[in-house]
Amino acid sequence: MGIAKTEIFTEAQNEIALFAKAFGHPARVAILQHLFKINTCVCGDLVSEIGLAQPTISQHLKELKQLGLIKGNVEGTSVCYCINPDVWSKMKQIMTEFLDQDLCDNGSCC
Amino acid sequence: MGIAKTEIFTEAQNEIALFAKAFGHPARVAILQHLFKINTCVCGDLVSEIGLAQPTISQHLKELKQLGLIKGNVEGTSVCYCINPDVWSKMKQIMTEFLDQDLCDNGSCC
DNA sequence: TTGTTATATTGCAATATTACGATTAAAGAA
DNA sequence: TTCTTTAATCGTAATATTGCAATATAACAA
């Protein structure tokens, strides 16, 4: 198929998967890390910073923007991107809750 | 292409992406959550718990196992799966470090 | 042995993702 | 206006992912 059966899962499960998918490509990881480092936004030097073609970077930025993790600001002919702190912290909470699950640790077979 | 250019990214970036990809599908999220809940491992009732066909669940389990996030234990005709706490906490540390990045917050354009 | 049960593997169809060349669009400079 | 720069979009090729029916495998029961 290639298409996930999202109907059979909870909203929460689908949301975790959606955010996780955003980090599921090293280019998007690199973009986000760079945006955190160069906090005063950043324009298209992401293209030279990361070694991918301009349309490719643009596509990755679009995905991150659609999720709300980053914002884009037009400045003349260039566009400034930056982390959207509100969505980032909401996402962080959701992911952390998932990662922090505890094994009740009362013996097991493995 | 469909193939990520992993060579141009750091090991750390690729590792984050690999783990994130594991959570990038709601079925795998559901499997992991269930394994945490039913801590005393779990066999193939994952198939009935989650609403996907047996081969599909088996395939998702294989991916999680390859990453080391879960372990499988053969018990007669059935197989018991459970979280691998060591790999899980290593992964948690890596992901948390990524999620905990801070904006240096000295003004920006967005 | 034969049957049964539980899981893995194979093969394949449908769809998604990644990447980039070519092109377009929009802003500013000359 | 025309040229340049920057970024988005289009189109497309290569590959990956998801899902399942069919089949194989392995352990046990009868």
Side-chain angles (χ1 to χ4, degrees):
Chain A
M1 297 249 133
I3 185 170
K5 283 191 150 182
T6 51
E7 334 85 58
I8 66 175
F9 301 102
T10 67
E11 284 233 3
Q13 287 164 340
N14 284 316
E15 197 172 31
I16 291 170
L18 268 185
F19 279 127
K21 218 195 278 190
F23 308 139
H25 192 290
R28 291 190 291 268
V29 170
I31 288 172
L32 291 166
Q33 285 176 332
H34 198 251
L35 288 182
F36 269 107
K37 205 169 77 183
I38 315 292
N39 58 336
T40 324
C41 286
V42 138
C43 336
D45 42 25
L46 279 164
V47 173
S48 38
E49 179 69 22
I50 302 171
L52 292 171
Q54 179 264 320
T56 307
I57 295 292
S58 204
Q59 196 173 295
H60 285 304
L61 286 169
K62 192 181 174 184
E63 284 176 59
L64 293 172
K65 202 168 148 192
Q66 270 169 345
L67 259 181
L69 287 171
I70 64 174
K71 293 189 277 189
N73 224 33
V74 180
E75 303 218 334
T77 58
S78 52
V79 178
C80 254
Y81 283 100
C82 60
I83 302 289
N84 182 337
D86 293 343
V87 178
W88 185 270
S89 64
K90 181 198 155 200
M91 174 280 292
K92 193 161 111 179
Q93 201 186 322
I94 289 171
M95 294 305 283
T96 302
E97 193 180 349
F98 173 70
L99 296 174
D100 275 351
Q101 288 173 96
D102 270 324
L103 302 158
C104 302
D105 198 7
N106 28 334
S108 63
C109 59
C110 293
Chain B
M1 296 248 134
I3 185 171
K5 284 190 151 182
T6 51
E7 335 86 59
I8 66 174
F9 301 103
T10 67
E11 284 233 4
Q13 286 164 341
N14 284 315
E15 198 172 30
I16 291 170
L18 267 185
F19 279 127
K21 218 196 277 190
F23 308 139
H25 192 290
R28 291 190 292 268
V29 170
I31 288 172
L32 292 166
Q33 285 177 332
H34 198 251
L35 288 182
F36 269 107
K37 204 169 76 182
I38 315 292
N39 57 337
T40 325
C41 284
V42 139
C43 335
D45 43 24
L46 280 164
V47 173
S48 39
E49 178 70 21
I50 302 171
L52 292 171
Q54 179 266 319
T56 309
I57 296 291
S58 202
Q59 194 173 297
H60 284 304
L61 287 169
K62 192 179 174 186
E63 284 175 60
L64 293 172
K65 202 169 148 193
Q66 271 170 347
L67 258 180
L69 286 171
I70 64 175
K71 293 189 278 188
N73 225 33
V74 179
E75 303 216 334
T77 58
S78 53
V79 178
C80 252
Y81 283 100
C82 61
I83 301 288
N84 183 338
D86 293 344
V87 178
W88 184 270
S89 64
K90 182 198 155 201
M91 174 281 293
K92 193 161 111 179
Q93 201 186 322
I94 289 170
M95 293 306 283
T96 302
E97 193 180 349
F98 173 70
L99 296 174
D100 275 351
Q101 289 172 96
D102 270 323
L103 303 158
C104 301
D105 198 7
N106 28 334
S108 63
C109 60
C110 291

